[in-house]
Amino acid sequence: MDDHINTTPNVIGLCLLPQELIQNIFLSLVLPEIVRLKLLNKSFSTLISDHSFVRQCNSLSNSTTWLFVYKKRWLRDAVLHAFTDRNSDRWFRIPIAELLKPVDFHCEDLYFLAASANVFLFASNNAREVVAVNLISVTVKKIPPSPLGPRGTSSWRRSGMKLVTDSSGSGHFRFMFAEFVGNRPVLFVYDSVSDTWKSTEAQEKENDEVLPRRGVHVFLSVVHGPRESVLVDSSSDCDTVVVLRPRFNDAEGLTVGFNWGNVIDRLHVYGDGYMMIVKSEGENGGNKRRVLKGVELWGVSLDGRKWEFVSAVPGEVMGVIEKPYGVMMGCLEEKNGIIRVALVSNSDGFWDMLWLSFDTKWKRWNWMPLPDCKMKGWNMAGISFSSGLTLQ
């Protein structure tokens, strides 16, 4: 979406083509480009709004995964970039600032929390408010404070929250997060239909109870320690919430070469009941810059009692992605048996991004180096995977 579109000769020439051919051309584009074309020309808007075209476009979009990166430099100077795994080699720029104008945050910076389908959540630090933005319906909605009260941006943990949208395309959504309250894990759920919050205290899991298939339930992190983690497992209707306390088995960890030593030598990235351990070493024996040395994937066992080793990035891939960095962060998502991780690193002011994925069915790793997002001089203000963008 960064490319300039000549609105005179290109548009007029395209309008002269048969409608079926124009539709086929539009279907080869990704959704942000289609939305921009819809706003560009009345004839295009009519064609794109056609029920047949919407149905075909949505069937393609539902299988497309996006990585969204929100970067900012100073007050009200922020950009939302999007990259897709669907035959793309560039970032798409989404004019999110225009959508946020109706909401007055007194010139405060916003932070990007989560995305699902057409809905994006942003949080303000000083006002301590959360807003939901629908990219397609072009609507902005303020979410009332949770039962815990207003929260600053540092209170939101990426692995401890989840945005879930209605598959019908209605735009309805639920925003979920888990926290300790009075030493007990509690699940908080906001429903956009009722515009209300609901809180449920998680119950201890029965010893012989087997966890459900991922995708049916939602797994949210509460806290992670060196040996034990605390997660909550919620049913799709959020009526059943149980506590999971997976632990590391020392013998298994040592078998796969896990290093329990210097904490700076590893980065843990959590999400959806999985954990990625990124191992590194100091460059030339120092600690200022690190060198990526190994990546392992772990998952919660079926009984919820331990972390189980799943797989490690093979050597031939590590040989390509191994590089020095100063600091690193990441986000992880599992959907339909595919685990996706984005690793974002900075070295001497230069940003680098890597997309890793693991197919749990075929036990296969894939990786994509992401093109330059022109991050130099900007700060990262949020990152999230999402899928299910539609024209509805």
Side-chain angles (χ1 to χ4, degrees):
M1 292 184 71
D2 292 314
D3 297 333
H4 176 71
I5 296 179
N6 188 323
T7 59
T8 307
N10 288 346
V11 171
I12 293 176
L14 192 57
C15 289
L16 296 176
L17 296 175
Q19 179 172 314
E20 183 178 350
L21 181 56
I22 297 176
Q23 285 189 337
N24 288 336
I25 293 173
F26 285 2
L27 287 173
S28 68
L29 305 175
V30 293
L31 198 76
E33 293 175 311
I34 295 173
V35 172
R36 186 178 181 183
L37 287 170
K38 186 177 181 180
L39 301 174
L40 185 67
N41 178 280
K42 187 175 181 180
S43 297
F44 290 171
S45 178
T46 302
L47 186 150
I48 291 171
S49 300
D50 177 75
H51 291 303
S52 174
F53 180 83
V54 170
R55 185 171 57 253
Q56 293 181 72
C57 180
N58 289 348
S59 67
L60 292 172
S61 297
N62 281 330
S63 60
T64 301
T65 300
W66 290 87
L67 176 64
F68 294 97
V69 172
Y70 190 56
K71 65 182 189 182
K72 64 185 180 69
R73 186 158 44 198
W74 52 70
L75 293 178
R76 290 201 179 276
D77 188 2
V79 177
L80 181 65
H81 284 290
F83 184 86
T84 176
D85 61 352
R86 180 184 159 195
N87 302 322
S88 178
D89 59 357
R90 64 190 179 97
W91 289 91
F92 299 91
R93 181 170 177 152
I94 298 177
I96 197 70
E98 295 298 317
L99 296 178
L100 290 168
K101 277 185 176 179
V103 184
D104 184 13
F105 284 108
H106 309 290
C107 299
E108 183 187 352
D109 280 333
L110 296 181
Y111 292 81
F112 174 40
L113 294 183
S116 177
N118 300 337
V119 181
F120 293 69
L121 293 188
F122 293 84
S124 64
N125 195 41
N126 292 335
R128 299 193 171 195
E129 293 181 324
V130 176
V131 294
V133 179
N134 191 308
L135 290 183
I136 305 304
S137 64
V138 196
T139 56
V140 181
K141 176 184 178 67
K142 280 191 177 183
I143 295 177
S146 76
L148 293 182
R151 296 162 63 85
T153 53
S154 61
S155 299
W156 299 109
R157 295 171 295 103
R158 187 175 296 109
S159 61
M161 60 186 176
K162 192 79 171 178
L163 178 64
V164 181
T165 49
D166 191 334
S167 59
S168 67
S170 64
H172 297 151
F173 64 90
R174 286 177 298 151
F175 177 42
M176 314 163 66
F177 73 93
E179 289 287 356
F180 269 125
V181 178
N183 233 12
R184 291 293 304 169
V186 177
L187 175 68
F188 298 89
V189 181
Y190 168 78
D191 190 313
S192 66
V193 177
S194 63
D195 197 31
T196 58
W197 286 89
K198 174 184 176 182
S199 59
T200 306
E201 183 177 312
Q203 304 300 312
E204 295 295 334
K205 190 181 74 68
E206 298 294 335
N207 289 334
D208 58 349
E209 186 179 356
V210 176
L211 295 183
R213 171 175 62 89
R214 282 182 172 86
V216 176
H217 278 210
V218 175
F219 297 86
L220 298 177
S221 299
V222 182
V223 66
H224 295 284
R227 302 284 173 161
E228 182 182 80
S229 300
V230 178
L231 295 83
V232 297
D233 163 26
S234 171
S235 59
S236 57
D237 56 11
C238 301
D239 286 337
T240 304
V241 185
V242 299
V243 185
L244 305 179
R245 304 180 187 275
R247 296 179 58 86
F248 276 109
N249 181 313
D250 287 349
E252 184 177 14
L254 292 173
T255 299
V256 296
F258 183 71
N259 178 11
W260 299 106
N262 192 352
V263 69
I264 201 173
D265 290 336
R266 60 186 185 271
L267 167 72
H268 292 186
V269 183
Y270 299 94
D272 294 336
Y274 286 96
M275 170 181 59
M276 180 166 280
I277 300 175
V278 181
K279 298 190 286 187
S280 65
E281 295 178 358
E283 188 178 40
N284 299 323
N287 284 327
K288 185 176 180 180
R289 293 218 308 174
R290 317 293 302 167
V291 178
L292 194 63
K293 287 298 182 182
V295 179
E296 296 175 356
L297 182 64
W298 296 66
V300 176
S301 62
L302 287 176
D303 60 9
R305 296 181 183 178
K306 63 179 181 178
W307 287 106
E308 291 183 332
F309 177 73
V310 177
S311 181
V313 173
E316 59 268 23
V317 176
M318 287 304 308
V320 178
I321 67 175
E322 181 179 298
K323 60 183 64 179
Y325 66 90
V327 294
M328 179 179 286
M329 61 168 290
C331 70
L332 185 155
E333 177 200 73
E334 185 276 337
K335 187 168 184 179
N336 299 328
I338 306 295
I339 301 162
R340 298 176 178 89
V341 179
L343 296 178
V344 184
S345 60
N346 185 292
S347 180
D348 299 325
F350 290 92
W351 293 86
D352 185 74
M353 300 188 197
L354 175 68
W355 182 329
L356 284 169
S357 62
F358 179 73
D359 189 318
T360 58
K361 179 180 179 181
W362 300 106
K363 311 298 181 187
R364 182 184 304 146
W365 285 93
N366 287 306
W367 72 281
M368 283 190 296
L370 301 181
D372 183 14
C373 193
K374 301 187 182 348
M375 287 287 296
K376 186 172 175 58
W378 294 72
N379 292 320
M380 178 76 70
I383 184 171
S384 177
F385 282 105
S386 182
S387 58
L389 276 172
T390 66
L391 279 176
Q392 294 178 327

